Amino acid sequence: MQMPVPDGAILARRDAIVAQLRAAVGAGTVIDDPVEARAYECDALSAYRCPPLAVALPTTTEEVAAILRLCHAEHVPVVPRGAGTSLAGGSMPTADAVVLGLARMNAVLDVSYGDRQITVQAGRTNLSVSGAVDEAGFFYAPDPSSQLACAIGGNIGMNSGGAHCLKYGVTTNNLLGVRMVLMDGTIVDLGGPMGEAPGLDLLGVVCGAEGQLGVVTEATLRILPKPAGARPVLIAFDSSETAGACVAAIIRAGVLPVAIEFMDRPCIVATENFARPGYPDCEALLIVEVEGTPPEIDEQLAVIRGIAAGFSPIEFRESRSEDESRRIWLGRKSAFGAMGQMGDYMCLDGTIPVSALPQVLRRIGELSAAAGLPVGNVFHAGDGNMHPLIIYDANRPGDLERVEALGADILRLCVQVGGCLTGEHGVGVEKRDLMPAQFSDADMEAQMRVKDVFDPRWLLNAAKVFPLHVSASRREGGRNAA
Amino acid sequence: MRPESESEIAAILRTARAPLTIIGGGTRSRPASGDVLSTRGLTGITLYEPAAMTLIARAGTPLAEIEAALAAENQRLAFEPPNRADAWAGGDPRDGEDVAPGARREASTIGGVIAANASGPRRIQSGAARDSLIGLRFVDGTGEVIANGGRVMKNVTGYDLVKLMAGSRGMLGVLTEVALRTAPVPPASVTLMLRCPAQRAVPAMTAALTGPWDISGAGWLPDLGVVLRLEGLPGSVALRARTLSARLEPFGAAGMLDEAAAAWRRLGALAAGWGPGAEDMAEDMAEGAVWRILCRPSQVDALLAANGGHEPLAMDWGGGLVILPLPAGALPALPPQARARRLSGAMMDLPLPDPVTARLNEGLRARFDPRGILAGAI
């Protein structure tokens, strides 16, 4: 994985830049000690690391604006960072960049239950947004698996989803507005009531732009009344194809569960050995969760039972207690840890049309056999977001390269059947060079024009998302303007 | 000009020398000048997979054709796009007189719906048109063909130009194809009705929307009062209707509304500025103008008081959308962050909220349409 060569002129001015930052926002806000700054050398994609020039940890939008204004004037690249949980290297620094960390900005600024909205600072963690409104009977719907740790600002950058987005949508469907600072230090409010503003939907394009258009410092989010209750069922099948067909039939029937999760045999065996959830011996299983009051849940499960019966499941296990619900989810929730027991793994994040599921699973099996690397599949089946896990041995020379090649083949397969390279993790540095598999030059050019408008000097998180050779002239243009 | 392929549209835009007016069905367009480029020749559903809840259609495809194809599979567009003809349905005295509802209903195209981000009552539950839009193709002002998004619901590959294009009214490019997420039609639907004046409607809607009833429509019409819709499996809908009625007792006795589907369609159309009241005023500007105001439901009280206590023509989205008639020449007095657009007469937006937003809008227009060919779009 390549990153641009750091700008020697910036490295040489490091002390002066740090001194200016301290003068602008206070000494306690800036870290330049190399040992402390090491904590920011990578995010959750820890294979790629690089200590930054310095780290700034502001507490207000005005401080963020002061830092960006200064970096803009000095032509210093900036990498925004929420909680650093990106799986795609979205907040990985370069040696000449200032990491702008939002973790200290975690306040709740406004809650209005009547308007069903909450305004928080961008460093607040996803789960603690729900925590802030839990007692009043509300929750914030998007629930990425990292929700205990990940920050709302990062969720907006990556347009994060989660297991329950089949019913409630992803971040962009639950975002009403942001306060954001442009690279030149300008503060702007986007969105408004119902998420709308006159003119173009700028909020819509900022969400998911991986921190390249501006630094979000505050977000207004839609909150929803909590459902009365939820209950999962586990449905076991003797083939992945049958399980895939059952998913399609459930969706077709018009019952919209809040989650449909899928696991194949390698994954089931691994979780059984690891967490002992007591899953049946089967080739594939689904976990389907529905919400409502007990009679409403019974009614939905009766429909699902009827549909599943048409596919002759090995077992239809309906939870009858909190403990049984917990056990059904136990294997799914420990799947990544369980696969980790088998070796090192690389987790992919492609999406496919649900109808292509059987074909894609078969082809992944063939690719896995040809590469001699085991692949386990666990994914959000309701919306086609797959997470194939490739098992390998990081200490064996050459294995990482083989895994990367197999991973790229699987993602290209997703695109070929009508899907895309990433469903929820983002492009970051990880999938940057695969972008041409999905987009033409004109498609990428159109996206980069948007960045030209928001960040003409290409200083914000610029070496991400677009292949380096595609963005080179713009990034170098920004630098040469110095 | 009525091109029949994306490449023809690209050729027209590449060689255009002067601004063009882009037009779909003509039901949502604004008065403009210049040669007309119609998308009505670019039709057809190119992919429909009910089991994957995905439909792809060319931009000029009539909305009615898409709705018919979906209905045949017991599906629909979750965002409930408003139809002009519906404004005059549901017992209005002018129904069948000087309007030809069938003709107007046929007229809307899916490209026009998306370009206007036209969204009906179910927006409070399922989101706006932009939230059901998962992919698109368009031709920008230089004649370049651009694709974004795809045909899967979860997609974070590159920037989300899908959202940027939805509601852009042709400012950045001409839509040629859209991919939509479809939704199942639930087996049961019940609408509760609570007679009350506009000034008392929002607290009742808020009480419903802050509880676990999963409301799929919450609006107000002068002749019906508050209307609240519940959809789902029959037992669940009946149960929720019962407990919701009990919750609403402090606001009055809620009853079931028969013929509810027509009422929801009429609400959607009125909220888009069509139908009795709104179009009458448009015909005679001396009487005043109709405004579409977006605000927080908690601001409706102050909004109505600040604007002379005029009764709205309709309210939707739990009070988030107010259709308000005002005397000639009057600009609405708005609470903080509320947004307004004039629906009758010339479509007039109030100025963009701030100079930075205006600069970003202008910057995007300049890059996607540097020669101003699409200037006639708005």
Side-chain angles (χ1 to χ4, degrees), chain A residues 15-36:
Chain A
D15 291 347
I17 293 164
V18 168
Q20 275 185 283
L21 282 171
R22 289 218 164 96
V25 293
T29 303
V30 181
I31 298 172
D32 72 325
D33 177 73
V35 177
E36 287 180 57

Short mmCIF file of all heavy atoms in Angstrom, two decimals, chain A residues 15-36:
data_model
loop_
_atom_site.label_atom_id
_atom_site.label_comp_id
_atom_site.label_asym_id
_atom_site.label_seq_id
_atom_site.Cartn_x
_atom_site.Cartn_y
_atom_site.Cartn_z
N ASP A 15 8.43 22.38 14.02
CA ASP A 15 8.42 23.08 15.31
C ASP A 15 7.66 24.41 15.22
O ASP A 15 6.90 24.77 16.11
CB ASP A 15 9.85 23.33 15.80
CG ASP A 15 10.52 22.01 16.20
OD1 ASP A 15 9.79 21.00 16.33
OD2 ASP A 15 11.76 22.00 16.36
N ALA A 16 7.85 25.09 14.11
CA ALA A 16 7.17 26.38 13.95
C ALA A 16 5.66 26.18 13.83
O ALA A 16 4.87 26.94 14.41
CB ALA A 16 7.71 27.09 12.70
N ILE A 17 5.27 25.13 13.09
CA ILE A 17 3.83 24.86 12.92
C ILE A 17 3.19 24.51 14.27
O ILE A 17 2.13 25.01 14.62
CB ILE A 17 3.62 23.73 11.88
CG1 ILE A 17 4.05 24.22 10.49
CG2 ILE A 17 2.17 23.26 11.88
CD1 ILE A 17 4.25 23.11 9.48
N VAL A 18 3.88 23.65 15.03
CA VAL A 18 3.35 23.26 16.34
C VAL A 18 3.23 24.49 17.25
O VAL A 18 2.24 24.66 17.96
CB VAL A 18 4.25 22.17 16.98
CG1 VAL A 18 3.89 21.97 18.45
CG2 VAL A 18 4.13 20.86 16.21
N ALA A 19 4.23 25.35 17.21
CA ALA A 19 4.19 26.56 18.05
C ALA A 19 3.02 27.44 17.67
O ALA A 19 2.31 27.98 18.53
CB ALA A 19 5.51 27.33 17.89
N GLN A 20 2.78 27.55 16.37
CA GLN A 20 1.63 28.36 15.92
C GLN A 20 0.31 27.75 16.38
O GLN A 20 -0.59 28.46 16.80
CB GLN A 20 1.63 28.43 14.39
CG GLN A 20 2.50 29.51 13.81
CD GLN A 20 2.32 29.56 12.29
OE1 GLN A 20 2.85 28.72 11.59
NE2 GLN A 20 1.55 30.52 11.81
N LEU A 21 0.21 26.41 16.28
CA LEU A 21 -1.00 25.74 16.73
C LEU A 21 -1.23 26.00 18.22
O LEU A 21 -2.34 26.31 18.66
CB LEU A 21 -0.90 24.22 16.49
CG LEU A 21 -1.12 23.70 15.07
CD1 LEU A 21 -0.76 22.22 14.97
CD2 LEU A 21 -2.57 23.93 14.62
N ARG A 22 -0.16 25.88 19.00
CA ARG A 22 -0.27 26.11 20.46
C ARG A 22 -0.73 27.54 20.74
O ARG A 22 -1.56 27.78 21.61
CB ARG A 22 1.07 25.85 21.13
CG ARG A 22 1.44 24.36 21.16
CD ARG A 22 2.13 23.99 22.50
NE ARG A 22 2.11 22.55 22.65
CZ ARG A 22 3.14 21.76 22.31
NH1 ARG A 22 4.26 22.27 21.85
NH2 ARG A 22 3.03 20.45 22.45
N ALA A 23 -0.16 28.46 19.99
CA ALA A 23 -0.51 29.86 20.22
C ALA A 23 -1.99 30.10 19.87
O ALA A 23 -2.68 30.88 20.51
CB ALA A 23 0.38 30.76 19.36
N ALA A 24 -2.47 29.36 18.87
CA ALA A 24 -3.85 29.59 18.41
C ALA A 24 -4.88 28.94 19.33
O ALA A 24 -5.95 29.50 19.55
CB ALA A 24 -4.01 29.06 16.99
N VAL A 25 -4.60 27.75 19.84
CA VAL A 25 -5.64 27.01 20.56
C VAL A 25 -5.24 26.57 21.97
O VAL A 25 -6.01 25.89 22.64
CB VAL A 25 -6.11 25.77 19.76
CG1 VAL A 25 -6.82 26.20 18.49
CG2 VAL A 25 -4.96 24.84 19.44
N GLY A 26 -4.03 26.89 22.43
CA GLY A 26 -3.64 26.51 23.79
C GLY A 26 -2.81 25.24 23.79
O GLY A 26 -3.05 24.32 23.00
N ALA A 27 -1.84 25.19 24.71
CA ALA A 27 -0.87 24.10 24.73
C ALA A 27 -1.54 22.74 24.97
O ALA A 27 -1.13 21.73 24.40
CB ALA A 27 0.19 24.37 25.79
N GLY A 28 -2.56 22.71 25.83
CA GLY A 28 -3.19 21.44 26.19
C GLY A 28 -3.92 20.77 25.04
O GLY A 28 -4.33 19.62 25.13
N THR A 29 -4.09 21.49 23.94
CA THR A 29 -4.85 20.98 22.81
C THR A 29 -3.96 20.27 21.78
O THR A 29 -4.44 19.56 20.93
CB THR A 29 -5.59 22.17 22.15
OG1 THR A 29 -6.41 22.78 23.15
CG2 THR A 29 -6.48 21.74 21.00
N VAL A 30 -2.63 20.51 21.89
CA VAL A 30 -1.73 20.03 20.83
C VAL A 30 -0.72 19.02 21.39
O VAL A 30 -0.09 19.25 22.41
CB VAL A 30 -0.97 21.22 20.19
CG1 VAL A 30 -0.07 20.73 19.07
CG2 VAL A 30 -1.96 22.26 19.68
N ILE A 31 -0.61 17.86 20.70
CA ILE A 31 0.38 16.85 21.08
C ILE A 31 1.46 16.82 20.01
O ILE A 31 1.15 16.62 18.83
CB ILE A 31 -0.27 15.45 21.16
CG1 ILE A 31 -1.36 15.43 22.23
CG2 ILE A 31 0.77 14.37 21.41
CD1 ILE A 31 -2.17 14.14 22.23
N ASP A 32 2.72 16.99 20.40
CA ASP A 32 3.79 16.83 19.41
C ASP A 32 4.87 15.88 19.91
O ASP A 32 5.80 15.56 19.18
CB ASP A 32 4.38 18.17 18.99
CG ASP A 32 5.22 18.79 20.10
OD1 ASP A 32 4.84 18.62 21.28
OD2 ASP A 32 6.23 19.45 19.80
N ASP A 33 4.74 15.42 21.16
CA ASP A 33 5.70 14.44 21.66
C ASP A 33 5.59 13.16 20.83
O ASP A 33 4.50 12.59 20.72
CB ASP A 33 5.38 14.13 23.14
CG ASP A 33 6.30 13.05 23.68
OD1 ASP A 33 7.47 13.34 23.91
OD2 ASP A 33 5.82 11.90 23.82
N PRO A 34 6.68 12.71 20.20
CA PRO A 34 6.61 11.58 19.27
C PRO A 34 6.02 10.33 19.92
O PRO A 34 5.30 9.56 19.28
CB PRO A 34 8.07 11.35 18.87
CG PRO A 34 8.76 12.63 19.14
CD PRO A 34 8.04 13.27 20.29
N VAL A 35 6.31 10.11 21.21
CA VAL A 35 5.79 8.91 21.88
C VAL A 35 4.27 8.99 22.00
O VAL A 35 3.55 8.05 21.67
CB VAL A 35 6.45 8.73 23.27
CG1 VAL A 35 5.85 7.52 23.98
CG2 VAL A 35 7.96 8.59 23.13
N GLU A 36 3.77 10.16 22.45
CA GLU A 36 2.31 10.32 22.59
C GLU A 36 1.62 10.29 21.24
O GLU A 36 0.52 9.75 21.09
CB GLU A 36 1.99 11.63 23.31
CG GLU A 36 2.32 11.61 24.79
CD GLU A 36 1.97 12.94 25.44
OE1 GLU A 36 0.79 13.36 25.33
OE2 GLU A 36 2.87 13.57 26.01
#
